[in-house]
Amino acid sequence: MKNVYLTGAGPGDVELLTLKAHRVICEADVIIYDRLANPEILEMSKDGCEFIYVGKEDGRHSVPQDEINNIIYQNSLKHNIVVRLKGGDPFVFGRGGEEALYLYSKGVEFEVIPGITSAISAPAYAGIPVTHRGIAVSFRVVTGHESPNKKESQISWDNFKTDDTIVFLMGLHNLSKISSKLIEIGKSKDYPVAVISRGTTKKQQVVVGTLENIVDKSKGIPTPALIVVGQVVSLREQLEWFRG
Ligand code: SAH
């Protein structure tokens, strides 16, 4: 059997790995991985498994996507079982789709193994349900990487006027712009926000605040971190359960 597996590593807690991801990690000839919330996962591999790191080192640029695509492709020619391991879910802001398209263009067989995304699991470990009857009937997962000041934003900020939950990934450095933008579209200054850092791991930190004070309150919090905006954040007072 020869295959490339675009595999979700889950958000950090190693027990949130799926059984299927666990199986292919144990069988892999090579694992091509990014900075993972939990590097313990790599220890599950068999003797002789090769590891190729393609993530971002602090202060350095990440490997360009074209190069990553090529690394996956070249390894698919050399090995039977290639695992491309990504934090959370490979198709939630993971560029897994781009890698799959590249493999398709080269005629390489691949499978996608979904993972538990940080977008729902970090809030869950913080005691914040992303939907809740009577409070939020939907949730959106939005890139926080795009600055709200950008002239041609692809984000429809006007959609955020409701009380539905918004989870921003990759948004910590834009938190101040995101908060101001949400106030600008009409949310109150005391609207609930949480920042969750290193969610589901022993190092999880949660800061709860409002659109007005969250920037100050979360200063210096380490990445990876995500932002949850919504009335559901208030449920944490009663639902906080994770002790790390
Ligand atoms: N595919 C991933 C997301 C990749 S984008 C997934 O499904 O989870 C990377 C962003 O995910 C980070 O900037 C951060 O916002 C978020 N993230 C990933 N792991 C996280 C964690 N353990 N705790 C909090 N946020 C996390």
Side-chain angles (χ1 to χ4, degrees), residues 11 37 87-89 92-94 117-119 122 169-170 196-199 224-226:
D89 179 88
V92 177
F93 297 120
T117 178
S118 62
L169 300 188
M170 306 175 286
I196 307 167
S197 159
R198 299 171 170 174
L226 56 76

Side-chain angles (χ1 to χ4, degrees), residues 10-13 37 86-95 115-119 121-122 168-172 196-201 204 223-227:
D13 180 347
K86 290 161 169 293
D89 179 88
F91 279 4
V92 177
F93 297 120
R95 306 188 77 167
I116 296 188
T117 178
S118 62
S121 54
F168 289 97
L169 300 188
M170 306 175 286
L172 196 60
I196 307 167
S197 159
R198 299 171 170 174
T200 81
T201 74
Q204 173 170 301
T223 56
L226 56 76
I227 305 156

